[in-house]
Amino acid sequence: MTAEQVTAYASRVLAANPGPMTLEGTNTWILRAPDADTAVVVDPGPMLEEHLRAVLDAVAEYECTVSTVLLTHGHFDHSEGAAWFASQANAPVRSVDPAFRIPTDHAHGLGEGDVITSGDLRIEVLPTPGHTMDSVCFWLPQDGSLLTGDTVLGRGTSVVAHPDGALGPYLDSLESLRAFANSPAGVERLLPGHGPVITDPGAVLTHYLNHRQDRLNQVRTAVADGYTTAEAIVQHVYADVDPTLWPAAERSVQAQLTYLNP
């Protein structure tokens, strides 16, 4: 089997695009009800034909066809291969951003309250803007699994990708996800766009919120101390972070500066 069966409803094919921002690589998720003959593919990943064919092969090994392709957001490491994959699978692509939809009509968007079904599988759309403004999560109520894209990673913390992302909406999204994770909904795990599965959703979301508040306080202090540009603040505040991550950190700091001084 080319896919790793993670839960009864979700399996994963890992793209060969590891890096500081992608961790081990992009997680492409295949969602299907047990014994179903259709599947939903989330985030086909980058335009790496070997990976995309591995996803197609995994679906075929399940004796399934792809009913729908979903995107958690438009960053290329999640979306670049979507059009090619959809053409091979003869399936539509649904996303918040119209640029990625196939066909390009409004019916293939994703919004709050939308439900995607594939056989007995039910997928509910939870808008979570912030990392990017087109970010969404996908809730599988039958499985207790929440697919988080880059809103919550399997390891470390995510970047607020200014100017496409914004800190205010991101904090609101994290608060909403934490409330959902701590509700009677039964969220057992988070299935992220990168990194390992998270089995303590409430604790991780609390850590994310605390981390964001800590960084925001550090930026406030840095500005008060005379560090006025994102580059200068990163060199001061993120001195203990691998410098290869500083360009991404600058985007997050710029989002924080915009939040503090709209």
Side-chain angles (χ1 to χ4, degrees), residues 136-149:
V136 292
C137 293
F138 299 115
W139 167 233
L140 279 58
Q142 298 145 300
D143 196 46
S145 297
L146 181 66
L147 280 75
T148 57

Side-chain angles (χ1 to χ4, degrees), residues 17-55:
N17 63 330
M21 301 300 297
T22 56
L23 305 180
E24 293 88 348
T26 299
N27 294 327
T28 295
W29 293 100
I30 301 171
L31 309 178
R32 59 185 284 275
D35 301 320
D37 60 3
T38 60
V40 172
V41 171
V42 178
D43 290 349
M47 188 56 232
L48 298 174
E49 189 170 330
E50 183 177 0
H51 168 68
L52 299 172
R53 290 198 180 278
V55 179

Side-chain angles (χ1 to χ4, degrees), residues 56-185:
L56 290 168
D57 290 345
V59 173
E61 288 179 38
Y62 285 127
E63 299 183 350
C64 284
T65 58
V66 179
S67 60
T68 309
V69 176
L70 302 177
L71 296 180
T72 60
H73 65 298
H75 279 167
F76 76 94
D77 55 318
H78 296 255
S79 66
E80 185 183 32
W84 186 95
F85 182 87
S87 69
Q88 297 294 311
N90 192 29
V93 177
R94 296 186 61 172
S95 66
V96 173
D97 188 339
F100 299 101
R101 299 176 194 167
I102 301 174
T104 57
D105 57 55
H106 178 71
H108 288 80
L110 293 171
E112 186 170 7
D114 284 353
V115 175
I116 297 99
T117 58
S118 181
D120 293 332
L121 173 68
R122 179 182 175 91
I123 304 170
E124 300 177 10
V125 179
L126 304 179
T128 50
H131 168 71
T132 60
M133 295 310 290
D134 67 337
S135 289
V136 292
C137 293
F138 299 115
W139 167 233
L140 279 58
Q142 298 145 300
D143 196 46
S145 297
L146 181 66
L147 280 75
T148 57
D150 283 1
T151 298
V152 181
L153 303 179
R155 187 173 63 255
T157 54
S158 188
V159 171
V160 179
H162 179 85
D164 186 31
L167 183 58
Y170 187 58
L171 293 174
D172 290 343
S173 292
L174 292 177
E175 288 282 11
S176 295
L177 288 177
R178 181 170 66 171
F180 186 63
N182 291 330
S183 75

Side-chain angles (χ1 to χ4, degrees), residues 189-210:
R189 67 191 67 83
L190 306 181
L191 306 182
H194 304 280
V197 173
I198 293 170
T199 56
D200 50 352
V204 169
L205 286 160
T206 295
H207 167 69
Y208 261 61
L209 282 160
N210 290 342

